[in-house]
Amino acid sequence: HHRHEDTPTTATATATADDGGRRGETLTMAKIVACKLTYFNIKGKGEPIRLACNYAGMKLEDVRVSREEFHAMREAKEIPFNQLPVAEFFDDEGRSVCKVAQTRAILRTVARASGDKLYSSDLGQAAQVDQFLDFEEDLFAAMRSSIFPGRIGMDEYKDDAEKEARRAHVAETVFTSKLELLDRALSASQTGWVAGTGEPSIADFALTASLGWIDSGIVDGVPQGFVVSKFPRVGTYLEKFAALEENKAYYASK
């Protein structure tokens, strides 16, 4: 079992001012050591961030809001893009470094702040991680669109029968063909992680959370275990992720 001893990288920037002839001072950028995540009290898009912070050893303030609180935040224009999750990152003196929306941007910030523990300092490897992090969006786009069709300008379902029929169609066609691509990537991986990294990357945190959601039986029209029954290798991947000591410890503490 590995230990987390990576030291977060500290970026430096040189700022030269008209300072009466003094030498330009080197300003050290603040190290990010803590994350305040604001999301709903569900797994959803918050869970990969929670688990990534835990795995990386980043201090997490896990703020879970009600729909009413969310609407109030939106009315007050406190959240970029009018949606959650939103994360605020802090340095070791408790100063705010940045406030970020969008799950992937938050995950990348957690990874970079943790000495590239969940990413890679190698550009080629990092590009592979990014590729699969973005593929997660492709993989689930049609299924997510089927949850709230009105949000994307599509007609709402006439009844439950239509809803279940449309979701079943999405699952068997678009979703299954994309899962074949994921299965192929896992087959090609030497490590069992989707981008071939030695440890799980942020792409794995995003993918496993969404795969777990779809396979839980919570989505009407998609039977429980749909993915793992069709793609046993994806099932093995989910088991490998769930078996990480950090993830087991996280859930044991809840």
Side-chain angles (χ1 to χ4, degrees):
H1 172 57
H2 49 263
R3 292 169 60 200
H4 304 317
E5 295 175 340
D6 298 24
T7 305
T9 48
T10 306
T12 57
T14 301
T16 307
D18 180 9
D19 53 14
R22 292 199 307 273
R23 287 179 301 120
E25 297 174 50
T26 299
L27 303 177
T28 302
M29 305 294 279
K31 273 194 292 194
I32 288 172
V33 300
C35 172
K36 177 183 176 182
L37 174 68
T38 303
Y39 191 61
F40 305 108
N41 190 25
I42 57 172
K43 288 187 174 181
K45 294 187 173 185
E47 202 71 352
I49 299 164
R50 295 172 186 136
L51 289 172
C53 285
N54 178 66
Y55 187 85
M58 178 176 288
K59 184 181 175 188
L60 174 66
E61 184 183 347
D62 188 8
V63 180
R64 303 188 183 213
V65 298
S66 65
R67 292 281 163 186
E68 294 73 28
E69 287 170 315
F70 163 64
H71 290 142
M73 291 166 71
R74 195 168 60 183
E75 291 300 312
K77 297 183 169 52
E78 291 174 6
I79 39 178
F81 312 114
N82 288 334
Q83 60 194 25
L84 297 177
V86 169
E88 189 167 7
F89 291 94
F90 297 89
D91 68 11
D92 51 7
E93 293 185 15
R95 294 173 300 199
S96 177
V97 176
C98 60
K99 190 171 183 178
V100 187
Q102 303 290 358
T103 304
R104 291 171 191 79
I106 295 167
L107 284 171
R108 288 186 177 107
T109 307
V110 171
R112 290 193 177 115
S114 307
D116 285 327
K117 177 160 194 56
L118 300 162
Y119 210 32
S120 179
S121 53
D122 176 82
L123 279 176
Q125 184 109 71
Q128 293 293 313
V129 172
D130 278 336
Q131 166 182 274
F132 284 107
L133 192 57
D134 289 343
F135 173 68
E136 186 272 344
E137 186 173 12
D138 275 358
L139 180 57
F140 290 95
M143 194 58 72
R144 287 185 179 127
S145 298
S146 80
I147 305 298
F148 299 110
R151 288 186 186 176
I152 57 164
M154 306 292 283
D155 293 340
E156 295 288 359
Y157 303 115
K158 289 192 286 287
D159 51 36
D160 284 350
E162 185 190 28
K163 175 174 70 176
E164 291 185 21
R166 195 187 303 176
R167 291 216 188 119
H169 175 71
V170 168
E172 290 291 348
T173 55
V174 182
F175 187 54
T176 296
S177 67
K178 295 284 187 187
L179 283 170
E180 286 169 0
L181 301 176
L182 175 62
D183 188 65
R184 188 193 306 171
L186 290 171
S187 174
S189 171
Q190 300 291 308
T191 64
W193 302 119
V194 72
T197 49
E199 291 188 59
S201 72
I202 44 178
D204 297 302
F205 281 81
L207 281 162
T208 53
S210 299
L211 290 163
W213 162 69
I214 212 80
D215 250 14
S216 67
I218 202 171
V219 182
D220 296 337
V222 184
Q224 186 172 353
F226 176 84
V227 174
V228 299
S229 63
K230 280 182 176 288
F231 298 96
R233 193 175 358 245
V234 178
T236 303
Y237 171 58
L238 292 174
E239 289 167 10
K240 179 181 173 73
F241 184 79
L244 288 167
E245 292 297 332
E246 292 82 357
N247 291 347
K248 289 197 292 188
Y250 175 83
Y251 288 117
S253 72
K254 294 296 154 191

